[in-house]
Amino acid sequence: MSETLMLIGAGKMQVPAIREARQMGLSTVVLDYNPDAPGMALADYPIEMSTRDFEGCVRVANDFEQEEINGVITVGT
């Protein structure tokens, strides 16, 4: 089983990080308020959640049941 990385944001500035995580063999949980953000299509688990909703993002991380989340990052924001 691979490790799982949560990425906060799925805009064009986050796409390289999502791609790199996938190339490293990591599963990706990606949060963005926009379901059509470019990184959402690359995610293993795209989740519609505002990146400005800190409590919501924490709740998603705590309640995520598909896989254990091993790390959380954001880039380019």
Side-chain angles (χ1 to χ4, degrees):
M1 177 165 41
S2 69
E3 292 189 334
T4 301
L5 181 64
M6 177 180 276
L7 295 105
I8 309 298
K12 65 181 179 179
M13 295 176 71
Q14 289 82 34
V15 166
I18 297 167
R19 285 190 176 135
E20 183 67 26
R22 299 285 311 267
Q23 288 176 353
M24 293 173 62
L26 301 173
S27 293
T28 55
V29 178
V30 179
L31 280 60
D32 201 287
Y33 76 96
N34 179 1
D36 297 320
M40 295 293 260
L42 303 173
D44 293 299
Y45 303 99
I47 298 175
E48 193 173 336
M49 169 64 64
S50 172
T51 59
R52 295 176 186 247
D53 182 352
F54 175 76
E55 291 176 355
C57 291
V58 171
R59 186 174 54 255
V60 168
N62 287 332
D63 294 346
F64 192 74
E65 296 180 355
Q66 289 84 341
E67 298 185 37
E68 178 182 355
I69 295 175
N70 304 102
V72 180
I73 68 167
T74 190
V75 295
T77 57

